[in-house]
Amino acid sequence: MKTQVIIVGAGPAGLLLSHLLHLQGIESVVLESRTRADIESTIRAGVLEQGTMDILSEAGVGARMRSEGALHHGIELAFGGKRHRIDLNELTGRAITVYAQHEVIKDLVAARIAAAGQLLFEVSAVSLHDIDSKQPSVRFTHGGESQQLTADFVIGCDGFHGIARPTIPEPLRRDYQRIYPFGWFGILVESAPSSEELIYAQHERGFALVSTRSPTVQRHYFQCDPKDEVANWSDDRIWSEMHTRLESSDGWKLKEGKIFQKNIIGMRSFVSTPMQYGRLFLAGDAAHIVPPTGAKGMNLAVADVRLLSIALEAFYKKGQEERLSTYTEDALKRVWRAEHFSWWMTSLLHRFDDASPFQQELQRAELDYLVSSRAAATVLAENYVGLPFA
Ligand code: FAD
Ligand code: DHB
């Protein structure tokens, strides 16, 4: 079997790339190890940058995002018992949309299926071969049968734990990593929104985040021990912790409701370079991870595949390889900016158990500066809404 581009992984990166290539008349096959039901229900990101919204809209898969997603023109920073608004729109002219990642996935899967795209679920034993030749291939098992697919390119969109990145020979790879000594406890709650905008809270007991999913479902997070277990957290304990971290002198109060999902995620910063080896290209979490505080992960995946679709279009339509050869360099510029921002937001808002009193005062001084200086607030705002695409 042969195709033009093999894409490993049907996350936001893989599905969007397949769709963007289809719009350019380039054929791809997407191989995904999980079921369709699983990828369409896994709860992950929620914040889409303006640039991500624009790409989804231009690609014709933004209708539900525009009607069901919530456009937010600002965020709030809460600390010292007070809430402070960062007006994203006034500072940058841009906004963000809160629309769950699994809804983006549903929209992309529907678009691929409507276009009779080849999207194979529940593949296993995936391995990459001859990626340093012009005829790379992928072997995998699907429906109990071993298969081999040959293509011009293989794109690894298979997330942090995927098989694509390790296929790049170790001596050529350089990994940069920081693992944080805390995680996020995430909950989904049946209630009306507590706030019109997201609240990022810094408190001596740790970070908390008030987010949303819909008029009836809310998404909240709080900093926890990454080795803690969901079973240790009764609903009462969760609400008590959230109320403490979000206490506000202006009478605002978080709304409680039925908690119907709980999970704990670890946090790391990670970049692997190069993002290309021979005819293998990496995109999204396969090549880099950010801690979720800056809401950048899915947006970076989208930015990577935008670059790749432009480079592949130039290759197929004009025979040009220039954009393919500069992919690592082009993608990493945005990646490292987002890595810095995500690390900075994380450092600004979390409690570090080993922080000295001196470091704690510096953290508070920086928060005070952010909410009192237009220049400082603009730095946060323009990174949060996402820098324009090059
Ligand atoms: P993934 O979504 O990980 O997709 C990879 C796919 O590849 C998966 O479906 C996997 O099953 C498949 N796969 C893996 N191995 C194989 C294999 N061998 N063969 C075939 N298929 C394989 N980002 C934001 O932008 N904004 C946010 O607000 C935000 N919040 C987050 C909150 C949480 C709690 C978490 C966990 C993440 C958050 N992120 C956020 C990050 C975001 O979810 C990820 O960055 C995003 O999913 C990356 O997309 P991807 O397509 O690169 O990888
Ligand atoms: C959400 C996730 C984030 O990482 C973030 O910074 C803001 C919101 C969310 O899932 O809603």
Side-chain angles (χ1 to χ4, degrees), residues 92-359:
T92 68
R94 292 156 82 87
I96 53 128
T97 288
V98 181
Y99 184 62
Q101 177 168 327
H102 68 277
E103 301 295 345
V104 175
I105 296 278
K106 282 187 206 166
D107 297 341
L108 288 167
V109 169
R112 292 312 299 123
I113 289 175
Q118 292 199 68
L119 176 49
L120 305 186
F121 292 104
E122 295 181 81
V123 301
S124 57
V126 179
S127 60
L128 313 187
H129 303 272
D130 304 321
I131 52 173
D132 48 359
S133 78
K134 289 193 170 172
Q135 289 261 289
S137 66
V138 177
R139 290 187 204 141
F140 59 97
T141 303
H142 185 242
E145 274 181 35
S146 297
Q147 304 194 26
Q148 175 155 352
L149 191 55
T150 306
D152 302 322
F153 298 96
V154 176
I155 317 292
C157 297
D158 50 350
F160 182 68
H161 300 288
I163 48 96
R165 186 178 69 252
T167 311
I168 299 180
E170 191 116 2
L172 298 179
R173 249 170 45 216
R174 177 150 187 209
D175 292 349
Y176 302 81
Q177 171 155 263
R178 165 182 281 230
I179 296 178
Y180 297 84
F182 40 72
W184 276 14
F185 196 110
I187 56 172
L188 280 172
V189 184
E190 271 173 26
S191 80
S194 294
S195 162
E196 278 181 15
E197 295 178 336
L198 271 58
I199 305 176
Y200 288 82
Q202 183 266 359
H203 189 273
E204 61 188 21
R205 292 186 60 85
F207 170 75
L209 170 58
V210 176
S211 182
T212 184
R213 282 293 177 270
S214 74
T216 54
V217 173
Q218 310 313 316
R219 178 73 166 150
H220 307 319
Y221 300 95
F222 59 92
Q223 177 180 350
C224 67
D225 180 337
K227 295 195 203 76
D228 207 341
E229 282 172 28
V230 163
N232 293 332
W233 287 85
S234 66
D235 294 7
D236 283 350
R237 187 176 171 213
I238 291 173
W239 289 123
S240 158
E241 196 61 41
M242 287 293 287
H243 286 308
T244 305
R245 295 186 190 188
L246 287 156
E247 71 194 347
S248 178
S249 56
D250 60 7
W252 175 86
K253 215 167 173 338
L254 181 69
K255 284 194 181 75
E256 293 189 17
K258 185 175 164 225
I259 299 177
F260 63 95
Q261 215 245 17
K262 303 178 185 178
N263 69 329
I264 293 178
I265 57 158
M267 287 170 64
R268 73 172 82 222
S269 299
F270 174 83
V271 179
S272 185
T273 166
M275 288 170 66
Q276 177 230 341
Y277 172 69
R279 288 289 180 100
L280 170 68
F281 292 77
L282 303 179
D285 280 16
H288 42 73
I289 295 283
V290 285
T293 327
K296 287 282 162 262
M298 176 169 45
N299 294 296
L300 278 182
V302 167
D304 285 352
V305 299
R306 175 184 166 273
L307 286 179
L308 273 177
S309 71
I310 293 170
L312 288 167
E313 188 195 345
F315 175 83
Y316 282 110
K317 296 216 171 128
K318 299 185 199 140
Q320 293 170 354
E321 300 206 26
E322 159 100 32
R323 293 295 293 257
L324 286 170
S325 64
T326 59
Y327 171 68
T328 292
E329 194 189 322
D330 296 345
L332 283 179
K333 277 190 198 130
R334 189 178 196 88
V335 167
W336 276 114
R337 175 87 295 281
E339 288 286 343
H340 178 269
F341 176 67
S342 305
W343 162 83
W344 174 75
M345 279 280 275
T346 302
S347 310
L348 179 75
L349 293 164
H350 288 74
R351 172 197 141 118
F352 287 77
D353 284 341
D354 61 354
S356 64
F358 175 75
Q359 286 166 316

